[in-house]
């Protein structure tokens, strides 16, 4: 969440460009919607604790869901903005205030960090969340069959969101930060 907001503020300094692909945007928002649905269901389970012993872990689960919703929304906004920004043309060392590469390539480190973060979350979603023991609380709340059905619908698209976000970030890191060095 913090990385997405920081990166969003930093890429405001980049030049505008025409968006290249609306398909990426559609896929991003479609799969992001299902990740948000999954997180809202997690909030729902966390806010309905049945006993005092479960209250603390349910509060953590609800907080995790809230942070997940906010970070997914911030990341979708960041990725949409990143697809319309970049560094283009010749690097001009004579302009005042543009002497450091951190200002010219504003947001590049945050983009690399978010790439690694999304890749690690993709690994977790792919190999850990699909295990039955990873979501016992949700299965108890919704019922075993209903929760399996919800997972079979939302998890593949949540996995796709993380993978597609990683691909968009790698592509943006590679292509949006090109500037020819002045000879």
């Amino acid at each position: 969440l913090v990385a997405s907001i920081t990166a969003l503020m930093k890429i405001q300094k980049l030049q505008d460009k025409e968006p290249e692909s609306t398909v990426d945007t559609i896929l991003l928002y479609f799969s992001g919607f299902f990740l948000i649905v999954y997180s809202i269901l997690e909030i729902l389970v966390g806010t309905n604790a049945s006993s005092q012993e479960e209250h603390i872990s349910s509060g953590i689960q609800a907080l995790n869901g809230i942070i997940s919703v906010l970070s997914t929304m911030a990341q979708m906004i960041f990725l949409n903005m990143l697809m319309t920004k970049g560094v283009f043309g010749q690097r001009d060392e004579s302009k005042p205030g543009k002497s450091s590469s951190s200002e010219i390539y504003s947001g590049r480190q945050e983009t690399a960090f978010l790439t690694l973060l999304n890749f690690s979350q993709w690994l977790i979603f792919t190999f850990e969340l699909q295990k039955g023991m990873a979501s016992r609380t949700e299965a108890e709340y919704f019922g075993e069959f209903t929760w399996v059905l919800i997972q079979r619908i939302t998890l593949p698209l949540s996995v796709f969101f993380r993978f597609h976000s990683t691909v968009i970030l790698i592509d943006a890191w590679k292509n949006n930060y090109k500037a020819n060095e002045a000879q």
Side-chain angles (χ1 to χ4, degrees):
L1 177 64
V2 174
S4 293
I5 292 172
T6 303
L8 189 59
M9 291 188 314
K10 286 193 174 188
I11 65 166
Q12 296 298 320
K13 298 175 186 175
L14 299 177
Q15 299 169 0
D16 291 333
K17 70 173 185 175
E18 289 295 319
E20 296 171 1
S21 174
T22 57
V23 175
D24 281 335
T25 306
I26 292 169
L27 290 173
L28 183 71
Y29 286 130
F30 182 72
S31 60
F33 169 76
F34 284 95
L35 181 57
I36 290 172
V37 167
Y38 184 83
S39 299
I40 289 173
L41 293 173
E42 190 176 17
I43 294 168
L44 183 67
V45 171
T47 56
N48 292 315
S50 60
S51 67
Q52 185 64 25
E53 294 88 31
E54 295 176 356
H55 190 66
I56 293 173
S57 65
S58 296
I60 292 171
Q61 186 174 16
L63 182 63
N64 184 38
I66 291 168
I67 291 172
S68 179
V69 168
L70 293 175
S71 66
T72 302
M73 293 172 92
Q75 184 170 330
M76 286 192 308
I77 293 168
F78 169 69
L79 290 171
N80 194 33
M81 297 261 324
L82 191 62
M83 288 189 273
T84 62
K85 299 273 187 185
V87 176
F88 308 103
Q90 295 239 334
R91 185 174 164 183
D92 190 2
E93 297 291 338
S94 64
K95 287 185 180 178
K98 290 282 186 179
S99 59
S100 71
S101 64
S102 65
E103 286 190 30
I104 294 170
Y105 300 117
S106 184
R108 189 174 188 187
Q109 290 179 341
E110 288 79 5
T111 302
F113 174 74
L114 285 170
T115 301
L116 294 173
L117 181 68
N118 272 289
F119 182 73
S120 66
Q121 287 183 334
W122 172 74
L123 288 173
I124 290 170
F125 272 55
T126 302
F127 298 112
E128 195 62 32
L129 279 184
Q130 294 181 13
K131 292 181 181 175
M133 290 296 165
S135 57
R136 286 190 320 254
T137 311
E138 291 90 347
E140 290 171 8
Y141 181 79
F142 290 109
E144 191 73 33
F145 179 74
T146 306
W147 182 244
V148 168
L149 186 64
I150 290 170
Q151 274 193 318
R152 295 296 182 251
I153 294 169
T154 59
L155 270 181
L157 290 163
S158 298
V159 169
F160 179 75
F161 175 79
R162 291 298 174 195
F163 181 76
H164 190 60
S165 296
T166 303
V167 171
I168 290 173
L169 286 163
I170 289 170
D171 185 54
W173 190 81
K174 184 180 79 168
N175 294 324
N176 284 7
Y177 293 100
K178 288 183 181 179
N180 297 331
E181 299 291 328
Q183 301 295 334

